[in-house]
């Protein structure tokens, strides 16, 4: 698609409401409410979570974000996710499947080659895969289904709405688009709270955001993110 053929983006949510939306939903949903829900299940957000606890925490966080997105859209936007968060899909967006697979299998591993050469202990391969392996070791029966739904379906949809549809578009109203892409990608990596994964997640976020930047739609970002996560999950479950 030539640059002149790209669809025009609808006006983004202003930056201050956008970050207030993120902060409120993050603190309430992924913080307070998730902690209460996990505590009721006998767990602790600061400890190792079972797949069931992870699923509950994720769903609570997603609901908080979706409600916050709806409120901000009604108050500061058009009232529709299609216009305010570029929630549109086209058949061509399926190109995100091979892009996501390649990002997981090629781009991210290549990024860690020089990092591991300079800081071998920090970016040790086993440390990098530790969280995923811990979940994979628990996965059996219905827990596999729950893990797939969380990692491959729910996370790509909600995270792309928040970090690309909301934040990247909002930041880009004040900065050049590539700067908005970079800031949103770094932010996306940091909220995962796993320093060893920061470089790979920032790179993956940049790939996801590039789909939005190029097409003006969130479809490519969601599909690429889902394929990226599905590939990583398949590797640890194999």
């Amino acid at each position: 698609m030539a640059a002149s053929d790209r669809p025009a983006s609808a006006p983004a949510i202003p930056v201050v409401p956008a970050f207030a939306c993120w902060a409120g939903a993050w603190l309430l949903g992924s913080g307070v409410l998730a902690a209460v829900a996990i505590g009721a299940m006998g767990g602790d957000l600061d400890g190792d979570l079972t797949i069931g606890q992870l699923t509950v925490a994720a769903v609570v966080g997603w609901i908080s974000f979706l409600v916050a997105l709806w409120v901000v859209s009604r108050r500061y936007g058009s009232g529709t996710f299609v216009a305010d968060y570029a929630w549109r899909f086209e058949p061509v967006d399926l190109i995100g499947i091979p892009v996501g697979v390649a990002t997981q299998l090629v781009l991210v591993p290549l990024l860690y080659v020089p990092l591991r050469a300079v800081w071998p202990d920090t970016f040790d391969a086993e440390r990098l895969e530790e969280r995923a392996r811990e979940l994979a070791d628990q996965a059996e029966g219905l827990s596999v289904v729950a893990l797939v739904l969380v990692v491959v379906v729910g996370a790509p949809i909600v995270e792309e709405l928040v970090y690309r549809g909301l934040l990247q578009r909002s930041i880009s109203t004040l900065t050049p688009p590539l700067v908005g892409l970079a800031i949103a990608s770094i932010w996306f990596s940091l909220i995962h709270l796993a320093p060893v994964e920061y470089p790979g997640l920032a790179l993956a976020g940049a790939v996801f955001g590039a789909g939005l930047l190029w097409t003006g739609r969130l479809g490519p970002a969601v599909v690429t993110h889902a394929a990226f996560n599905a590939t990583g999950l398949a590797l640890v479950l194999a």
Side-chain angles (χ1 to χ4, degrees):
M1 180 183 292
S4 59
D5 296 331
R6 297 175 204 158
S9 295
I13 300 296
V15 169
V16 172
F19 275 90
C21 171
W22 176 87
W26 173 260
L27 292 173
L28 180 62
S30 299
V32 176
L33 295 180
V36 170
I38 296 304
M41 299 175 69
D44 183 347
L45 274 181
D46 294 328
D48 294 331
L49 300 182
T50 66
I51 292 176
Q53 293 167 345
L54 173 67
T55 301
V56 169
V59 170
V60 168
W62 295 341
I63 292 173
S64 299
F65 272 118
L66 291 174
V67 169
L69 289 169
W70 178 79
V71 170
V72 169
S73 174
R74 298 275 294 181
R75 176 65 177 83
Y76 296 98
S78 69
T80 70
F81 277 38
V82 172
D84 296 329
Y85 307 121
W87 183 251
R88 299 187 301 277
F89 292 79
E90 297 289 344
V92 70
D93 298 343
L94 292 176
I95 191 66
I97 294 175
V99 173
V101 173
T103 302
Q104 180 69 257
L105 297 181
V106 180
L107 294 183
V108 170
L110 284 177
L111 172 65
Y112 278 96
V113 170
L115 294 175
R116 196 169 290 125
V118 178
W119 298 286
D121 294 332
T122 301
F123 295 105
D124 177 72
E126 290 187 3
R127 291 190 62 193
L128 187 60
E129 298 174 358
E130 183 177 358
R131 289 207 305 178
R133 292 289 180 190
E134 288 175 354
L135 288 175
D137 289 342
Q138 301 178 37
E140 58 180 6
L142 289 178
S143 65
V144 176
V145 177
L147 192 58
V148 170
L149 290 176
V150 168
V151 173
V152 181
V153 180
I157 290 174
V158 178
E159 290 180 356
E160 291 312 308
L161 278 167
V162 173
Y163 294 98
R164 256 60 67 175
L166 174 68
L167 295 183
Q168 180 177 322
R169 296 182 74 240
S170 294
I171 296 167
S172 296
T173 63
L174 299 180
T175 69
L178 288 177
V179 175
L181 169 65
I183 293 173
S185 300
I186 294 170
W187 197 280
F188 169 73
S189 72
L190 295 178
I191 59 94
H192 285 80
L193 304 178
V196 69
E197 299 176 15
Y198 286 166
L201 288 172
L203 174 59
V207 174
F208 306 155
L212 169 65
L213 183 62
W214 185 255
T215 67
R217 297 188 306 275
L218 207 58
V222 173
V223 174
T224 304
H225 193 157
F228 176 86
N229 283 7
T231 304
L233 186 60
L235 289 174
V236 296
L237 290 178

